[in-house]
Structure formats: structure tokens, C-alpha cells
Amino acid sequence: MTNARVGIIGIGQSEFKARREDANYPELVREAVALALKNAGRELDDMEAVVYSLAPDALLGIGNAERLGVDAVGARNKRFMRINTGGATGLSSVAVAHSHVASGACDIVLAAGGDKVGESGDSQTILNKIWDPTYERQLPLGTITMLAMSAVRAMHKYGLTEEDMARVTVKNRANASLNPKAHLRKKVTIEDVFASRYIAWPIKLLDACPQSSGGCAVVLASERYIKENRLEAVWITGVAHCSESYFIGDRMGNNYVADHADAHALGESFERSYRMAGIKDPAKEVHVAELYAPFSNTEFHAVEAAGLAPIGKSMAMLREGQFHIGSRTAVNPSGGTLCTNAIAVSAMVRVAEAALQVWGRAGAHQQPGAKIAAASGNGGDHQFFGTMVIEA
Amino acid sequence: MQFTTVVAVVGSAIHAPRDAKQRSLEEAMYAVAKAALVDAGVSTDDLDGIVVGANDQLDGRAISIMMASGSVGGVGRDILSTPSAAEHAFVLGAMRIATGQYRTQLVAAWSPIEVTSIPDALKLGTDPYFHRALPLDELSAAALQANALEHAVPGLREAAVGIAVKNRNNGALAYPDRAPAPLEKAWITAGKVLHWPLTEGMVSPPAYGLVALVLADAAFVKERGLSAPAWIHGMGWATEPGFLGDRDLSTAPALVEATQQAYRAAGIKDPGKSFQVAQVSDTTPYQELLAYEGLGLCKREQWLQAQESGRFAAGSSLPVNPSGGALSFNPVYCAGLVSIAEAANQVRGQAGHHQQKDVRRALAHAASGFAMQYQTVVVMGSSELRS
């Protein structure tokens, strides 16, 4: 167990769009930081440390771009470090900020970042470079083809259908239409999804996340600081990570070490977070979940890894009306990564949205009565998984 | 900063593959991680988490931690990466244990030198609008800083050359098996100019090196009966702004801040008399001089005299960089973490040829980024700090 409780006292999300030509990269980060500080009622000078959230530098075209972000987050002469676990980076950064506070090193810490995926040219060409140059990079691997293979395996193993996938898109787009911060806010129908072009079978355009530009920031503080300053907070009660192997080939074929249909390490990470939070039956105890799922098919194995459905049963539960806002556990009421994906902060947005839900501040996409939320982030080639439990 | 849990370095390994062309990075990473675990007397199963310093630009990969995770035992474990600096991985590893959530951490970093051109890779770290057209990389930034220091302290070049000679001699004794670097004052002074005032002899070429440390909490150390831990008494870390033009390169305010954080936690009042050994950043000898001041060991007015009198030489009351530092062996990107490992080894009495006598407390300093943008200070001691 950690030594003391750590609270979230401020949240800032910029506008997320395909292009943010009105703001350069540091300005985009600053936009989110300013909102988070205002939300927390704190100044930059109050921050004792900054954890910088930035996934592949190549998406920005600037090496170690966190160095240019130092001023945007007000970190001059302060504790500062950058975290990168690919798509999980945003959640990992909040987890590292949590470590700053829970260790006793700091009382108040800012986690912040931003990304310009929408202006990166073709993100999939860049993301091909995550694979080993000798063995797997020559394959037409990108994050879409990688997770299309997961969908194919889930079709074989659990009977996943393209209609099941479309149902996730329809749910999440409807949720995003209620969330003013989301990037893709237009409602769609199952027919719309089927009418969109294939990108990598069975993933179609509307089964896929957008390339978004935007920033996110979260302010964390110790329980002592929160009480002394009479601040409002929600609490991080569980936090963990777990990793899979690097090579995709290790999750397929004979003698695989994990099944690519599932999210084995995500499940392990959730078990660790729930254990820390004292949650024994997540399906009954968790009211809302913001799960990193950039493609419609991946929401199913994320839901199952989060313990919200038995393995292979989440498709049927969605068909029966589960996981919508107002059901027992709302999944991605913000619209999720499927509707907004600025890679460096997508997993931080999961934390931010989970916090807003248990705070009762989610607005039109509020899950009624939410008090316990789960959040997750996935990074690398479905390799790094971070999870968090946030409670009112 | 005052950790709520006491943390120690219980094992480490510094690995410089001699057969670099025959040894893949994955194999070398496995070797260094395994060696650190063996040194600590623990196994991979004992690891609660891992933090690696992995740098995409130098590795030529988009998320270079991915490739590392298998080699260092990350599969099924909680593994994170700090691309900002290798030494940040140490800071985070220690903090993670101090939360009480983890008992142990492996911290690792490496310096791949397969990249076709390190200056070109580093140049991509400059802002694309204002600075990328300049021939800016870590070496040219270090040269700008050296110029600023020479301007601020007349006659400094002589002291800089002296420091290079000191560290090279230390390095030759500490690691006689590594590639020899020039020791002669004349060669260091008169060698080819890379970026004025830095000559070829004043820096070391990038080397293939890896480093790993095992950290544990006090309860784990006791339970396993681990020998000679180096207890972390204090840590500090801080950053300068990103644009060189926003800084006075002849000063190091972030180092002053990091030092204050570390000394406050460690209860250091008189730094000149508090340590038996120090390992400081010396990618160029000018960095070591700036470190003397930032760490409170010697004011700049005394730099020339201190160097001349051998105040920080081997055998003095405070030898600085007895390992030879980055001036003797320069694993780019992970040199700072190597400094921390060397300081820990001194406290543990396991520094090898260059072990100093009766080291009760050691000071480690690391700097990364253009002209020492990121500054990190660690104080370690042979006994637990009593608060």
C-alpha cells in the first residue's frame, strides 16, 4: 500500500481537432496547463514538479520535444521528467506524478503534455518504426494492422462480428456527441459504419480513431496539502502497470506466450490496481470506465480485462444494452480514444474523464451516481498497459 | 524532499561490450541487467518494477522502451521509461520504492552508437523554426557553454586542460582494459578543434556502454541480508529552459536548485567536508568546473587554484571522478546514470581499482541535454539516514 492518499485537484483538456494551426506545440500544451491550473485554483509557481507526457517524438518531428515544452509547463528550475510508454504515456505520466506525491518528494505536481498527431503527416508510417528493424519492421505493420489481427483472432475465438464492432462505434460516437471536448462528435449508425471503407479488414474507417491534435493536464496533490488548502479532490486509490512481450509473433502461432485476441497484461494490471484499491468485484463496484480502445474491436477485450465482463461475453452484453451511459457500468462515456486520439495524452484523457465522472462534473455525458471509476492506457505494440482506479 | 520510505542501491553493473559488433543491444541489455541482479544477490523474480532511460533519437526507434522490456525482464512487470534523461530513471525508481507500493526496482540505460550520425540525430532535438538551421548538437552546445565560462573566468582553459589530464589519468587506472584516451597535456591542448574551445583531446568519443542498478527498500535489504547497501540520503533534479538563448550558459541555476533539494533532504550543511568522493558530469572539463560551483564544492574564483593544487585529485580529501568520468569513457545519454552507479559503488566499497578509502558518503551529479539542461544530484551514504 502507498503511504498516503493522492488526490486529483485539477483537470484541463484543450480542444481536440484534426489540426490545431492556431497553436504551436508548446502553446497547445500550455492551453491545457492553464485550464488545469484554473480548475485547481492554483498558479504555476505552486507546482513543485512537472511530469511531461510525450510518446514518440517522431509524431512531432522534434527529438526530445519535451525540452521545448519546459517553459510551456513552467518547469524552469523545477523538478521535471518526461515519460514515454507509447499510447499508455498519458496514464503513466499521471502514475509517475502519483509517485512524486506518494513518495513524500512533493506535495503538488503537474502532469501535462500534448500532441499534434493530426499534423504529423501519416502517423502509421511513423508507428511502423516501433517494430524491431530486423524481424518485424519489414512487414506492413502499423497499429491498425496490428489490432486488425487481434480482431481476426477474436472472431475465430469468440465469434466477434463486424456488427459487434460497429455497435461500439455507434455507442462511442453518440457519447462523444455529448462531450464538447471530443474530436469526432457526429453520431453514426451501424449502416454508416458498414458503408465506410476498409482500412485493414475487419477494421473500417469508422471503426478507427482519428488523428487528433490537442493537450491535457492534470494536477495532483497530497491529502495533507488538499486538506490544508481546503481544496476539492477525487482520489487515486489504485495504480499499476504491466507489460507484454515485444514481438507480435510471440502472441501468435504455436507456443504463443499470450493470445493476441486478449489483453492479458491489461488484465494483470487491472488486478493490481483493484487489489490496491480494495475492489473485489469490479463488475459490481465500478460505475464507469474510460478504457483506452483506439479501434472498436479492442474495446471488447479491454472491457473483459477490466473485469467488467467474463472473457468472450462482452459482445453479447453490449448487444443487451450494457456499457451505455445509465447502464450498470458505462464504458467510454466521453466517446473514448475511438473519437479523440492525441497519442501523447490519450491515456491522460482517460484519467481526466474518469476523474470528472466520479467528481460529478462530466456534464452531458455524466454517468449518474458514479463514485468509482477505472481508467486504462495501452502503449507500444499492445505491449504496455497502465491502469488506475479513481474514487470520489 | 523527505522520502517516507528509505531506499538503497543494492547492486549495479557497468558494461562496456568489447565485441560491440558481435553483440546486439538486446543481448548487451540482458547481460547488464543480469549482472546487476547477480551483484545484488537477487533474481528477476524479486523485481517489482523497472524503469529504463530509453532515447528514441539515438536508438533509431519510435518507442525504444519496447525493445528493452524483454531483455531487462519487463514482460509481466511494471516497466516505465524516462526518455528525458537516463538519470531520471534512477530518480523515478527511487521514488517508486519510496511510495511503499514497490519493494524493488531495476533501473537501466544504454548508449547505442549504431546511429549513422549522432550530431544529426541530436540536431533533430532543436526547435524546427529558429535553431535547426544552426549546427547545434550537444557538443556544439557544450562548446558554447565552455566559451561563456572562459569569458566569465579568464584563464580557465588551463584549468580545463588540467581537469582533462586528471580524469584521463584516473580513467587509465580505473579501467585499464578500456580504449586508452590521450593523457598528455600537450595533446589535449593542441589537438584538432572540434568546436572552439573544445579540442579532440578535451572530449571522449561516444562509446557503447550500458548500466543497470538494483534499488530496494530497507525492509527488503534486511529480509534478504543484502550486504553493503548505498542508502539514498537525498536527491534533487531540475531543468533549465529549452532555448539556449534564454540562459546564461556560464551559470547553472537548475544545478543550484537540484543541489539544494538533495542537500536539504540529506542534511548537508558543509558540502566541502561532507563527502569522501564525488562523481560529476564531465562530458567536457568545463562541465566539471561548473559542477564544483553548483554543488557548493568550490567557488569559481577558486577554480584555477583548486585545479592547480590538486584539491579534487585522486588521493585528496575529496577526489572527483576517480572513475575517469565521461572524459575517459563516454557512453552518451547514459553517462549520468554511470556516474550515479560509480558513486554507489564507492559507498558499497565495490568500486574496484579506483575504490577510495573509508567512503561514508558520496556525491553523484548528472547532467543531460544541451549545455546541461537537466541537472540531477544524488547523495548516498553507507548508513541509513536518521531523520
Side-chain angles (χ1 to χ4, degrees):
Chain A
M1 285 301 290
T2 55
N3 293 304
R5 287 210 300 173
V6 179
I8 292 175
I9 60 168
I11 291 162
Q13 294 183 60
S14 77
E15 301 294 326
F16 289 94
K17 292 179 179 169
R19 301 183 76 84
R20 283 293 312 270
E21 284 158 349
D22 59 312
N24 68 19
Y25 168 62
E27 287 168 345
L28 208 52
V29 179
R30 184 56 168 257
E31 186 178 318
V33 169
L35 289 167
L37 292 173
K38 190 177 174 201
N39 187 231
R42 302 285 101 185
E43 304 286 337
L44 266 184
D45 285 347
D46 296 324
M47 302 299 117
E48 295 173 5
V50 182
V51 182
Y52 201 85
S53 186
L54 179 57
D57 304 85
L59 290 167
L60 289 164
I62 307 169
N64 281 100
E66 79 278 3
R67 294 174 188 172
L68 300 180
V70 167
D71 288 305
V73 298
R76 185 177 195 156
N77 293 338
K78 284 186 184 172
R79 299 172 180 93
F80 176 90
M81 66 172 66
R82 170 192 166 189
I83 301 301
N84 180 4
T85 49
T89 299
L91 190 142
S92 302
S93 297
V94 180
V96 168
H98 175 275
S99 292
H100 278 62
V101 178
S103 65
C106 300
D107 269 324
I108 179 164
V109 179
L110 173 68
D115 217 331
K116 286 208 156 214
V117 187
E119 291 142 81
S120 70
D122 176 24
S123 61
Q124 289 301 317
T125 305
I126 292 165
L127 290 171
N128 171 263
K129 304 299 179 290
I130 66 177
W131 276 282
D132 179 89
T134 313
Y135 299 105
E136 292 189 335
R137 198 180 287 178
Q138 282 73 17
L139 304 173
L141 275 169
T143 49
I144 306 175
T145 51
M146 164 181 85
L147 290 166
M149 289 192 282
S150 174
V152 174
R153 176 71 179 148
M155 285 172 151
H156 171 76
K157 202 173 170 190
Y158 304 121
L160 171 76
T161 66
E162 290 180 66
E163 196 173 321
D164 289 326
M165 291 166 61
R167 215 167 269 121
V168 173
T169 301
V170 171
K171 168 180 74 75
N172 288 0
R173 284 291 196 94
N175 290 349
S177 74
L178 305 171
N179 174 11
K181 297 289 187 187
H183 177 178
L184 300 181
R185 301 191 60 207
K186 188 180 164 195
K187 286 187 189 179
V188 296
T189 63
I190 287 184
E191 292 73 29
D192 293 332
V193 180
F194 270 85
S196 65
R197 66 185 166 89
Y198 280 106
I199 300 176
W201 187 84
I203 293 176
K204 293 179 279 297
L205 184 65
L206 295 189
D207 290 308
C209 60
Q211 302 186 117
S212 311
S213 295
C216 187
V218 177
V219 183
L220 275 62
S222 67
E223 187 166 17
R224 182 177 62 79
Y225 183 95
I226 289 166
K227 285 186 174 162
E228 276 178 13
N229 291 280
R230 298 196 176 104
L231 300 171
E232 292 180 37
V234 291
W235 305 95
I236 297 172
T237 55
V239 53
H241 283 82
C242 190
S243 163
E244 298 252 7
S245 63
Y246 176 27
F247 290 96
I248 289 277
D250 287 342
R251 292 176 230 150
M252 298 174 186
N254 297 328
N255 305 315
Y256 57 76
V257 293
D259 194 315
H260 196 41
D262 305 320
H264 162 76
L266 177 60
E268 174 65 30
S269 184
F270 263 119
E271 274 183 31
R272 292 173 189 173
S273 294
Y274 289 149
R275 200 179 309 134
M276 184 174 162
I279 289 176
K280 297 199 167 49
D281 187 351
K284 287 187 180 147
E285 294 176 64
V286 174
H287 305 122
V288 59
E290 280 286 340
L291 306 177
Y292 191 102
F295 303 99
S296 57
N297 58 300
T298 63
E299 188 170 297
F300 291 114
H301 65 211
V303 163
E304 291 163 14
L308 305 176
I311 298 289
K313 302 294 181 199
S314 57
M315 290 89 74
M317 288 172 71
L318 180 64
R319 279 197 293 272
E320 289 156 11
Q322 280 298 319
F323 313 130
H324 287 80
I325 295 172
S327 69
R328 192 178 62 192
T329 307
V331 174
N332 289 328
S334 69
T337 310
L338 194 60
C339 299
T340 311
N341 194 2
I343 296 175
V345 292
S346 292
M348 193 185 292
V349 172
R350 305 281 71 73
V351 175
E353 286 289 340
L356 288 172
Q357 287 286 345
V358 295
W359 226 330
R361 295 176 179 179
H365 61 290
Q366 176 71 46
Q367 163 79 340
K371 294 293 172 208
I372 299 180
S376 66
N378 308 356
D381 57 350
H382 214 234
Q383 182 183 3
F384 302 109
F385 299 91
T387 53
M388 216 168 255
V389 179
I390 301 167
E391 300 186 46
Chain B
M1 183 208 84
Q2 199 63 60
F3 278 172
T4 39
T5 300
V6 188
V7 185
V9 178
V10 295
S12 76
I14 299 164
H15 184 41
R18 302 184 73 170
D19 53 347
K21 291 218 163 94
Q22 305 299 319
R23 189 72 76 95
S24 73
L25 188 53
E26 287 91 331
E27 289 172 314
M29 273 191 280
Y30 175 77
V32 78
K34 186 79 183 167
L37 291 167
V38 168
D39 184 46
V42 302
S43 74
T44 318
D45 290 343
D46 294 315
L47 291 179
D48 290 344
I50 300 164
V51 188
V52 300
N55 187 288
D56 288 3
Q57 277 63 53
L58 295 170
D59 285 353
R61 294 165 186 256
I63 309 172
S64 59
I65 181 189
M66 290 172 60
M67 164 270 299
S69 74
S71 317
V72 300
V75 177
R77 288 201 169 73
D78 184 332
I79 176 167
L80 296 176
S81 166
T82 58
S84 42
E87 52 271 23
H88 288 167
F90 180 88
V91 169
L92 178 55
M95 274 197 295
R96 297 224 289 176
I97 293 175
T99 64
Q101 196 182 343
Y102 311 83
R103 298 207 300 171
T104 59
Q105 294 280 306
L106 177 76
V107 173
W110 53 91
S111 69
I113 50 171
E114 291 167 355
V115 58
T116 315
S117 162
I118 289 178
D120 284 345
L122 294 173
K123 199 175 159 184
L124 290 174
T126 57
D127 126 86
Y129 303 108
F130 304 108
H131 291 159
R132 201 167 291 173
L134 303 171
L136 201 56
D137 60 28
E138 287 187 7
L139 188 62
S140 58
L144 287 172
Q145 186 161 44
N147 272 309
L149 283 163
E150 283 202 356
H151 179 72
V153 183
L156 199 60
R157 188 173 177 76
E158 184 70 16
V161 171
I163 282 172
V165 172
K166 165 180 80 75
N167 290 4
R168 290 279 169 73
N169 278 296
N170 287 349
L173 287 171
Y175 295 103
D177 52 331
R178 286 183 187 160
L183 300 165
E184 300 78 12
K185 192 173 174 180
W187 205 97
I188 289 169
T189 313
K192 181 184 159 193
V193 173
L194 299 172
H195 290 285
W196 181 260
L198 300 176
T199 64
E200 213 166 32
M202 274 186 181
V203 292
S204 273
Y208 186 17
L210 304 97
V211 56
L213 298 99
V214 181
L215 310 184
D217 70 11
F220 188 88
V221 170
K222 194 175 172 190
E223 183 185 311
R224 294 300 182 89
L226 302 181
S227 61
W231 299 99
I232 299 171
H233 289 184
M235 300 194 307
W237 66 107
T239 180
E240 304 277 357
F243 284 96
L244 291 182
D246 288 341
R247 298 168 53 187
D248 173 355
L249 295 181
S250 72
T251 64
L255 175 55
V256 173
E257 167 61 30
T259 300
Q260 283 172 357
Q261 291 171 21
Y263 288 179
R264 203 181 307 129
I268 303 290
K269 303 275 190 306
D270 183 356
K273 292 180 180 160
S274 299
F275 308 103
Q276 288 74 50
V277 66
Q279 286 282 154
V280 310
S281 183
D282 66 336
T283 307
T284 74
Y286 296 88
Q287 291 193 349
E288 181 167 322
L289 289 162
L290 198 50
Y292 292 162
E293 183 178 62
L295 294 165
L297 304 178
C298 173
K299 287 183 178 158
R300 61 180 57 199
E301 294 77 15
Q302 299 160 357
W303 282 349
L304 304 186
Q305 192 271 330
Q307 196 286 313
E308 207 171 334
S309 66
R311 187 161 150 196
F312 301 114
S316 69
S317 61
L318 178 53
V320 174
N321 287 331
S323 71
L327 279 165
S328 303
F329 175 66
N330 183 23
V332 287
Y333 183 71
C334 72
L337 191 56
V338 169
S339 279
I340 296 171
E342 287 282 1
N345 283 345
Q346 290 285 353
V347 172
R348 300 178 67 221
Q350 293 179 10
H353 297 303
H354 54 295
Q355 176 67 48
Q356 305 298 300
K357 281 185 190 160
D358 300 325
V359 176
R360 296 177 305 285
R361 199 154 46 186
L363 175 63
H365 161 241
S368 291
F370 290 173
M372 310 170 88
Q373 183 182 359
Y374 299 128
Q375 302 278 10
T376 303
V377 178
V378 181
V379 175
M380 288 173 281
S382 54
S383 15
E384 271 187 66
L385 184 68
R386 292 177 205 284
S387 53

